[in-house]
Coordinates of all heavy atoms in Angstrom, one line a residue:
M677 N 56.7 -78.1 84.5 CA 57.2 -77.4 85.8 C 58.3 -76.4 85.3 O 59.2 -76.7 84.6 CB 57.8 -78.5 86.6 CG 58.3 -77.8 88.0 SD 56.9 -77.5 89.1 CE 57.8 -76.8 90.5
S678 N 58.1 -75.2 85.7 CA 59.1 -74.2 85.3 C 60.4 -74.4 86.1 O 60.3 -74.9 87.2 CB 58.6 -72.8 85.7 OG 57.3 -72.5 85.1
K679 N 61.5 -74.0 85.5 CA 62.8 -74.1 86.1 C 63.1 -72.9 86.8 O 63.0 -71.8 86.2 CB 63.8 -74.5 85.0 CG 65.1 -75.0 85.5 CD 66.0 -75.5 84.3 CE 67.3 -76.0 84.8 NZ 68.2 -75.0 85.4
P680 N 63.5 -72.9 88.1 CA 63.9 -71.7 88.8 C 65.1 -71.0 88.1 O 66.0 -71.7 87.6 CB 64.1 -72.1 90.2 CG 64.3 -73.6 90.2 CD 63.7 -74.1 89.0
T681 N 65.2 -69.7 88.3 CA 66.3 -68.9 87.9 C 67.2 -68.7 89.0 O 66.8 -68.3 90.1 CB 65.8 -67.5 87.3 OG1 64.9 -67.7 86.3 CG2 67.0 -66.6 86.9
R682 N 68.5 -68.9 88.7 CA 69.5 -68.7 89.8 C 69.6 -67.1 90.1 O 70.0 -66.4 89.2 CB 70.9 -69.2 89.3 CG 72.0 -69.2 90.4 CD 73.2 -69.9 89.8 NE 74.3 -70.0 90.8 CZ 74.5 -71.1 91.5 NH1 73.8 -72.1 91.4 NH2 75.6 -71.1 92.4
A683 N 69.2 -66.8 91.3 CA 69.2 -65.4 91.6 C 70.5 -64.8 92.3 O 70.9 -63.7 92.2 CB 68.1 -65.1 92.6
S684 N 71.2 -65.8 93.0 CA 72.4 -65.5 93.6 C 73.2 -66.7 93.7 O 72.8 -67.8 93.8 CB 72.1 -65.0 95.0 OG 73.2 -64.9 95.9
D685 N 74.6 -66.5 93.8 CA 75.5 -67.7 93.9 C 75.7 -68.0 95.4 O 76.4 -69.0 95.7 CB 76.8 -67.3 93.3 CG 76.8 -67.2 91.9 OD1 75.9 -67.9 91.3 OD2 77.6 -66.5 91.2
T686 N 75.2 -67.2 96.3 CA 75.3 -67.5 97.7 C 74.0 -67.3 98.5 O 73.1 -66.6 98.0 CB 76.4 -66.5 98.3 OG1 75.9 -65.2 98.0 CG2 77.8 -66.7 97.8
P687 N 73.9 -67.8 99.7 CA 72.7 -67.6 100.5 C 72.5 -66.1 100.9 O 73.5 -65.3 100.8 CB 72.9 -68.5 101.7 CG 74.4 -68.7 101.8 CD 74.9 -68.6 100.4
I688 N 71.4 -65.8 101.3 CA 71.1 -64.4 101.7 C 70.7 -64.4 103.2 O 69.7 -65.0 103.5 CB 69.9 -63.8 100.8 CG1 70.4 -63.8 99.4 CG2 69.6 -62.4 101.3 CD1 69.3 -63.8 98.4
A689 N 71.5 -63.7 104.0 CA 71.2 -63.7 105.4 C 70.1 -62.7 105.8 O 70.2 -61.6 105.3 CB 72.5 -63.4 106.2
V690 N 69.2 -63.1 106.6 CA 68.1 -62.2 107.1 C 67.8 -62.4 108.6 O 67.8 -63.6 109.0 CB 66.8 -62.5 106.2 CG1 65.6 -61.7 106.8 CG2 67.0 -62.3 104.8
E691 N 67.7 -61.4 109.3 CA 67.3 -61.4 110.7 C 65.8 -61.5 110.7 O 65.1 -60.6 110.4 CB 67.8 -60.1 111.4 CG 69.3 -59.9 111.5 CD 69.9 -60.8 112.6 OE1 69.2 -61.3 113.4 OE2 71.2 -60.7 112.6
V692 N 65.3 -62.7 111.0 CA 63.9 -62.9 111.0 C 63.3 -62.6 112.5 O 64.0 -62.7 113.4 CB 63.5 -64.3 110.5 CG1 63.9 -64.5 109.1 CG2 64.1 -65.4 111.4
E693 N 62.0 -62.3 112.5 CA 61.4 -62.1 113.8 C 60.4 -63.1 114.1 O 59.6 -63.5 113.3 CB 60.7 -60.7 113.7 CG 61.5 -59.5 113.8 CD 60.8 -58.2 113.8 OE1 59.7 -58.2 114.4 OE2 61.3 -57.2 113.2
A694 N 60.4 -63.6 115.4 CA 59.5 -64.6 115.8 C 58.1 -64.3 115.5 O 57.6 -63.2 115.7 CB 59.8 -64.8 117.3
G695 N 57.3 -65.3 115.0 CA 55.9 -65.1 114.8 C 55.7 -64.5 113.4 O 54.5 -64.4 113.0
T696 N 56.6 -64.1 112.6 CA 56.4 -63.5 111.4 C 56.6 -64.5 110.3 O 57.5 -65.4 110.3 CB 57.5 -62.3 111.1 OG1 57.3 -61.4 112.2 CG2 57.2 -61.6 109.8
S697 N 55.7 -64.4 109.2 CA 55.8 -65.3 108.1 C 56.5 -64.6 107.0 O 56.1 -63.3 106.7 CB 54.4 -65.7 107.6 OG 53.8 -66.6 108.6
Y698 N 57.3 -65.3 106.3 CA 58.1 -64.7 105.1 C 57.8 -65.5 103.9 O 57.7 -66.8 104.0 CB 59.6 -64.7 105.4 CG 60.0 -63.9 106.7 CD1 59.9 -64.4 107.9 CD2 60.5 -62.6 106.5 CE1 60.2 -63.7 109.0 CE2 60.8 -61.8 107.6 CZ 60.7 -62.4 108.9 OH 61.0 -61.6 110.0
F699 N 57.7 -64.9 102.7 CA 57.4 -65.5 101.5 C 58.7 -65.6 100.7 O 59.1 -64.6 100.0 CB 56.3 -64.9 100.8 CG 54.9 -65.1 101.5 CD1 54.6 -64.3 102.6 CD2 54.1 -66.1 101.1 CE1 53.4 -64.5 103.3 CE2 52.9 -66.3 101.8 CZ 52.5 -65.5 102.9
W700 N 59.3 -66.7 100.7 CA 60.6 -66.9 100.0 C 60.4 -67.1 98.4 O 59.5 -67.9 98.1 CB 61.3 -68.2 100.5 CG 62.6 -68.5 99.8 CD1 63.8 -67.9 99.9 CD2 62.7 -69.6 99.0 NE1 64.7 -68.6 99.1 CE2 64.1 -69.7 98.6 CE3 61.9 -70.7 98.5 CZ2 64.6 -70.7 97.7 CZ3 62.5 -71.7 97.6 CH2 63.8 -71.6 97.3
C701 N 61.1 -66.4 97.7 CA 61.0 -66.5 96.2 C 61.6 -67.8 95.7 O 62.8 -68.0 95.9 CB 61.7 -65.3 95.5 SG 61.8 -65.5 93.7
A702 N 60.8 -68.7 95.3 CA 61.3 -70.0 94.7 C 61.6 -69.9 93.2 O 62.4 -70.8 92.7 CB 60.3 -71.1 94.9
C703 N 61.1 -68.9 92.5 CA 61.3 -68.9 91.0 C 62.6 -68.2 90.7 O 63.1 -68.4 89.6 CB 60.1 -68.2 90.4 SG 60.0 -66.4 90.7
G704 N 63.1 -67.3 91.5 CA 64.3 -66.6 91.3 C 64.2 -65.3 90.5 O 65.2 -64.6 90.2
L705 N 63.0 -65.0 90.2 CA 62.7 -63.8 89.4 C 62.5 -62.5 90.1 O 62.5 -61.4 89.5 CB 61.5 -64.0 88.4 CG 61.7 -65.2 87.4 CD1 60.4 -65.4 86.6 CD2 62.8 -65.0 86.5
S706 N 62.2 -62.6 91.4 CA 61.9 -61.5 92.2 C 63.0 -60.5 92.3 O 64.2 -60.8 92.3 CB 61.6 -61.9 93.7 OG 61.5 -60.8 94.5
K707 N 62.7 -59.2 92.3 CA 63.7 -58.1 92.4 C 64.0 -57.8 93.9 O 64.8 -57.0 94.2 CB 63.2 -56.8 91.7 CG 63.0 -57.1 90.2 CD 64.2 -56.9 89.4 CE 64.1 -57.0 87.9 NZ 63.7 -58.3 87.4
K708 N 63.2 -58.5 94.8 CA 63.4 -58.2 96.2 C 63.9 -59.5 96.9 O 63.4 -60.0 97.9 CB 62.1 -57.8 96.8 CG 61.5 -56.6 96.3 CD 60.2 -56.3 97.0 CE 59.6 -54.9 96.5 NZ 58.2 -54.7 96.9
Q709 N 64.9 -60.1 96.3 CA 65.4 -61.4 96.8 C 65.9 -61.2 98.4 O 66.4 -60.1 98.7 CB 66.7 -61.8 96.1 CG 66.4 -62.2 94.6 CD 65.5 -63.4 94.6 OE1 65.6 -64.3 95.5 NE2 64.7 -63.6 93.6
P710 N 65.6 -62.2 99.2 CA 65.2 -63.5 98.8 C 63.6 -63.7 98.9 O 63.2 -64.8 98.8 CB 65.8 -64.4 99.9 CG 65.7 -63.5 101.2 CD 66.0 -62.1 100.6
F711 N 62.9 -62.6 98.8 CA 61.5 -62.7 99.0 C 60.7 -62.5 97.7 O 61.2 -61.8 96.8 CB 61.1 -61.7 100.1 CG 61.7 -62.0 101.4 CD1 62.4 -61.0 102.1 CD2 61.6 -63.2 102.0 CE1 63.1 -61.2 103.2 CE2 62.3 -63.5 103.2 CZ 63.0 -62.5 103.8
C712 N 59.5 -63.0 97.7 CA 58.6 -63.0 96.6 C 58.1 -61.6 96.3 O 57.8 -60.9 97.3 CB 57.5 -63.9 96.8 SG 56.1 -63.9 95.5
D713 N 58.1 -61.1 95.0 CA 57.5 -59.8 94.7 C 56.4 -60.0 93.7 O 55.9 -59.0 93.1 CB 58.6 -58.8 94.2 CG 59.1 -59.2 92.9 OD1 58.8 -60.2 92.3 OD2 59.9 -58.3 92.3
G714 N 56.0 -61.2 93.5 CA 54.8 -61.5 92.6 C 55.3 -61.8 91.1 O 54.5 -62.1 90.3
S715 N 56.6 -61.8 90.9 CA 57.2 -62.0 89.5 C 57.0 -63.4 89.0 O 57.2 -63.7 87.8 CB 58.7 -61.6 89.4 OG 58.8 -60.2 89.7
H716 N 56.6 -64.3 89.9 CA 56.4 -65.7 89.5 C 55.2 -66.0 88.7 O 54.9 -67.0 88.2 CB 56.4 -66.6 90.8 CG 55.2 -66.3 91.6 ND1 55.3 -65.4 92.7 CD2 53.9 -66.5 91.5 CE1 54.1 -65.2 93.3 NE2 53.2 -65.9 92.6
K717 N 54.4 -64.8 88.5 CA 53.0 -65.1 87.9 C 53.0 -65.7 86.6 O 52.0 -66.3 86.3 CB 52.3 -63.7 87.9 CG 52.9 -62.7 87.0 CD 52.0 -61.4 87.1 CE 52.4 -60.3 86.1 NZ 53.9 -60.1 85.9
D718 N 54.0 -65.7 85.7 CA 54.0 -66.3 84.5 C 54.7 -67.6 84.5 O 54.9 -68.2 83.5 CB 54.6 -65.4 83.4 CG 53.9 -64.1 83.2 OD1 52.7 -64.2 83.3 OD2 54.5 -63.1 82.9
T719 N 54.9 -68.2 85.7 CA 55.5 -69.5 85.8 C 54.5 -70.4 86.7 O 53.5 -69.8 87.1 CB 56.9 -69.5 86.7 OG1 56.6 -69.2 88.0 CG2 57.8 -68.4 86.1
D720 N 54.8 -71.7 86.8 CA 54.0 -72.5 87.7 C 54.7 -72.6 89.1 O 54.3 -73.5 89.8 CB 53.7 -73.8 87.1 CG 54.9 -74.6 86.7 OD1 56.1 -74.2 87.1 OD2 54.8 -75.6 86.0
I721 N 55.6 -71.8 89.4 CA 56.3 -71.8 90.7 C 55.6 -70.8 91.6 O 55.2 -69.8 91.2 CB 57.7 -71.5 90.5 CG1 58.4 -72.5 89.6 CG2 58.5 -71.4 91.9 CD1 59.9 -72.1 89.2
R722 N 55.5 -71.2 92.9 CA 54.9 -70.3 93.8 C 55.8 -70.2 95.0 O 56.7 -71.0 95.2 CB 53.6 -71.0 94.4 CG 52.5 -71.1 93.4 CD 52.0 -69.7 92.9 NE 51.1 -69.8 91.8 CZ 51.4 -69.7 90.5 NH1 52.6 -69.6 90.1 NH2 50.5 -69.7 89.6
P723 N 55.7 -69.0 95.8 CA 56.6 -68.8 96.9 C 56.4 -69.9 98.0 O 55.4 -70.5 98.0 CB 56.2 -67.4 97.4 CG 54.8 -67.2 96.9 CD 54.7 -68.0 95.7
V724 N 57.4 -70.0 98.9 CA 57.4 -70.9 100.0 C 57.3 -70.1 101.3 O 58.1 -69.2 101.4 CB 58.6 -71.9 99.9 CG1 58.7 -72.7 101.2 CG2 58.6 -72.7 98.7
V725 N 56.4 -70.4 102.1 CA 56.2 -69.7 103.4 C 57.2 -70.2 104.4 O 57.4 -71.4 104.6 CB 54.8 -69.8 103.9 CG1 54.6 -69.1 105.2 CG2 53.8 -69.3 102.9
F726 N 57.9 -69.2 105.1 CA 58.8 -69.6 106.2 C 58.2 -68.8 107.4 O 58.1 -67.6 107.4 CB 60.2 -69.1 105.9 CG 61.1 -69.3 107.0 CD1 61.7 -70.6 107.3 CD2 61.4 -68.3 107.9 CE1 62.6 -70.7 108.4 CE2 62.2 -68.4 109.0 CZ 62.9 -69.7 109.2
K727 N 57.7 -69.5 108.4 CA 57.3 -68.9 109.6 C 58.4 -69.0 110.7 O 58.8 -70.1 111.1 CB 56.0 -69.6 110.1 CG 55.4 -68.9 111.3 CD 53.9 -69.1 111.4 CE 53.3 -68.2 112.5 NZ 53.2 -68.7 113.8
A728 N 58.8 -67.9 111.1 CA 59.9 -67.8 112.1 C 59.4 -68.2 113.5 O 58.5 -67.6 114.0 CB 60.6 -66.5 112.1
E729 N 60.1 -69.3 114.1 CA 59.7 -69.7 115.4 C 60.4 -68.8 116.4 O 59.9 -68.7 117.6 CB 60.0 -71.1 115.6 CG 59.4 -72.1 114.6 CD 58.0 -72.2 114.7 OE1 57.4 -72.0 115.8 OE2 57.3 -72.6 113.7
E730 N 61.6 -68.3 116.1 CA 62.3 -67.5 117.0 C 63.0 -66.4 116.2 O 63.2 -66.5 115.0 CB 63.3 -68.3 117.8 CG 64.3 -69.1 116.9 CD 65.1 -70.0 117.7 OE1 65.7 -69.5 118.7 OE2 65.3 -71.1 117.3
S731 N 63.4 -65.3 117.0 CA 64.1 -64.2 116.3 C 65.5 -64.6 116.2 O 66.2 -64.9 117.2 CB 63.9 -62.9 117.1 OG 62.6 -62.5 117.1
K732 N 66.1 -64.7 114.9 CA 67.4 -65.1 114.7 C 67.9 -64.8 113.3 O 67.0 -64.5 112.5 CB 67.7 -66.5 115.0 CG 66.9 -67.5 114.1 CD 67.3 -68.9 114.4 CE 66.5 -69.9 113.5 NZ 66.8 -71.3 113.7
K733 N 69.1 -65.0 113.0 CA 69.6 -64.8 111.5 C 69.4 -66.2 110.9 O 69.9 -67.2 111.4 CB 71.1 -64.4 111.6 CG 71.6 -64.2 110.1 CD 73.1 -64.0 110.1 CE 73.5 -62.6 110.6 NZ 74.9 -62.3 110.4
V734 N 68.8 -66.1 109.7 CA 68.7 -67.4 108.9 C 69.2 -67.1 107.6 O 69.4 -66.0 107.1 CB 67.2 -68.0 108.8 CG1 66.7 -68.2 110.2 CG2 66.3 -67.0 108.0
F735 N 69.7 -68.1 106.8 CA 70.2 -68.0 105.5 C 69.3 -68.6 104.5 O 69.2 -69.9 104.3 CB 71.6 -68.8 105.5 CG 72.6 -68.1 106.4 CD1 72.7 -68.4 107.7 CD2 73.5 -67.1 105.8 CE1 73.6 -67.7 108.5 CE2 74.4 -66.4 106.6 CZ 74.5 -66.7 107.9
F736 N 68.6 -67.7 103.7 CA 67.8 -68.2 102.7 C 68.5 -68.5 101.4 O 69.5 -67.9 101.2 CB 66.7 -67.1 102.3 CG 65.6 -66.8 103.4 CD1 65.8 -65.8 104.4 CD2 64.6 -67.7 103.5 CE1 64.8 -65.6 105.3 CE2 63.6 -67.5 104.4 CZ 63.7 -66.5 105.4
C737 N 68.0 -69.6 100.8 CA 68.7 -70.0 99.6 C 68.5 -68.9 98.4 O 67.4 -68.4 98.2 CB 68.1 -71.3 99.1 SG 68.6 -71.8 97.4
G738 N 69.7 -68.5 97.8 CA 69.6 -67.5 96.7 C 69.7 -68.2 95.4 O 69.3 -67.6 94.3
C739 N 70.3 -69.4 95.3 CA 70.6 -70.1 94.1 C 69.3 -70.9 93.6 O 69.3 -71.2 92.4 CB 71.7 -71.0 94.2 SG 71.4 -72.6 95.1
K740 N 68.4 -71.1 94.5 CA 67.1 -71.7 94.2 C 67.3 -73.2 94.0 O 66.4 -73.9 93.4 CB 66.3 -71.0 93.1 CG 66.3 -69.5 93.2 CD 65.6 -69.1 94.5 CE 65.7 -67.6 94.6 NZ 65.2 -67.1 96.0
A741 N 68.4 -73.8 94.2 CA 68.6 -75.2 94.0 C 68.6 -76.0 95.3 O 68.8 -77.3 95.3 CB 70.0 -75.4 93.3
T742 N 68.4 -75.4 96.4 CA 68.3 -76.1 97.7 C 67.3 -77.2 97.7 O 66.2 -77.0 97.1 CB 68.1 -75.1 98.8 OG1 68.1 -75.9 100.1 CG2 66.8 -74.4 98.8
A743 N 67.6 -78.2 98.4 CA 66.6 -79.3 98.7 C 65.9 -79.1 100.1 O 65.1 -79.9 100.4 CB 67.3 -80.6 98.7
A744 N 66.3 -78.0 100.7 CA 65.7 -77.7 102.0 C 65.0 -76.3 102.0 O 65.2 -75.5 102.8 CB 66.8 -77.7 103.1
Q745 N 64.2 -76.1 100.9 CA 63.5 -74.8 100.8 C 62.8 -74.4 102.0 O 62.2 -75.3 102.7 CB 62.5 -75.0 99.7 CG 63.0 -75.2 98.3 CD 61.9 -75.2 97.2 OE1 60.7 -75.2 97.6 NE2 62.4 -75.3 96.0
P746 N 62.9 -73.1 102.5 CA 63.6 -72.1 101.7 C 65.0 -71.8 102.1 O 65.6 -70.8 101.7 CB 62.7 -70.9 102.0 CG 62.4 -71.2 103.5 CD 62.2 -72.7 103.6
L747 N 65.6 -72.6 102.9 CA 66.9 -72.4 103.5 C 68.0 -73.0 102.7 O 67.9 -74.1 102.0 CB 67.0 -72.8 105.0 CG 65.9 -72.2 105.9 CD1 66.0 -72.8 107.3 CD2 66.0 -70.7 105.9
C748 N 69.1 -72.4 102.7 CA 70.3 -72.8 102.0 C 70.7 -74.1 102.6 O 70.9 -74.4 103.8 CB 71.5 -71.9 102.2 SG 73.1 -72.4 101.7
D749 N 71.1 -75.1 101.8 CA 71.6 -76.4 102.3 C 73.0 -76.7 101.6 O 73.4 -77.9 101.7 CB 70.6 -77.6 101.9 CG 70.7 -77.9 100.4 OD1 71.2 -77.1 99.6 OD2 70.0 -78.9 100.0
G750 N 73.6 -75.7 101.1 CA 74.9 -75.8 100.6 C 75.0 -76.3 99.1 O 76.1 -76.3 98.5
S751 N 73.8 -76.5 98.5 CA 73.8 -76.8 97.1 C 74.4 -75.9 96.1 O 74.7 -76.2 95.0 CB 72.3 -77.2 96.7 OG 71.8 -78.2 97.4
H752 N 74.4 -74.6 96.6 CA 75.0 -73.6 95.7 C 76.4 -73.8 95.3 O 76.9 -73.3 94.3 CB 74.8 -72.1 96.3 CG 75.6 -72.0 97.6 ND1 75.0 -72.3 98.8 CD2 76.8 -71.7 97.8 CE1 75.9 -72.2 99.8 NE2 77.0 -71.7 99.2
K753 N 77.1 -74.6 96.1 CA 78.5 -74.9 95.8 C 78.7 -75.9 94.7 O 79.7 -76.0 94.0 CB 79.2 -75.5 97.1 CG 79.3 -74.5 98.1 CD 79.9 -75.1 99.4 CE 79.7 -74.2 100.6 NZ 79.5 -75.0 101.9
S754 N 77.7 -76.7 94.4 CA 77.7 -77.8 93.4 C 76.8 -77.6 92.2 O 76.8 -78.4 91.3 CB 77.5 -79.1 94.1 OG 76.2 -79.2 94.7
T755 N 76.1 -76.6 92.2 CA 75.2 -76.3 91.0 C 75.6 -75.0 90.3 O 76.4 -74.3 90.8 CB 73.7 -76.1 91.5 OG1 73.6 -75.1 92.5 CG2 73.2 -77.4 92.1
Ligands
FES1018 FE1 71.0 -72.1 97.4 FE2 72.9 -72.2 99.2 S1 72.2 -70.5 98.2 S2 71.8 -73.8 98.5
FES1019 FE1 59.7 -65.8 92.8 FE2 57.2 -65.1 93.7 S1 58.6 -63.8 92.6 S2 58.2 -67.0 93.8

């Protein structure tokens, strides 16, 4: 299993739109954080789909250590 790369020390806030699916970068290599840009292709990591149920601001994990993928669970403070 490939180890994800820490892309950010903090979560990334995004205004998501109800009914839209977002592909969160789990590998940390994307240049379009927090979203996948296909850079995971040489790893065995794949993006995680987040389907927005409502329009609101959410905090995607940037450190890639969250246990609540794709959202920040505070793990960036201890990793
Ligand atoms: Fe990864 Fe908060 S940014 S857990
Ligand atoms: Fe990271 Fe696709 S670029 S999961």
Side-chain angles (χ1 to χ4, degrees):
M677 185 75 183
S678 306
K679 196 171 178 297
T681 299
R682 190 178 181 91
S684 167
D685 289 333
T686 53
I688 300 159
V690 176
E691 297 279 354
V692 297
E693 282 183 37
T696 301
S697 292
Y698 298 83
F699 290 80
W700 175 74
C701 169
C703 73
L705 299 176
S706 173
K707 298 281 187 282
K708 295 182 179 169
Q709 293 297 329
F711 302 122
C712 174
D713 72 353
S715 297
H716 61 264
K717 65 183 186 316
D718 293 331
T719 74
D720 57 11
I721 300 175
R722 295 295 176 265
V724 173
V725 180
F726 175 84
K727 184 153 192 267
E729 302 292 338
E730 55 183 316
S731 296
K732 63 175 181 178
K733 183 188 285 187
V734 300
F735 293 86
F736 287 100
C737 171
C739 75
K740 312 305 177 186
T742 181
Q745 294 183 350
L747 303 178
C748 172
D749 71 350
S751 296
H752 60 272
K753 294 176 193 149
S754 56
T755 56

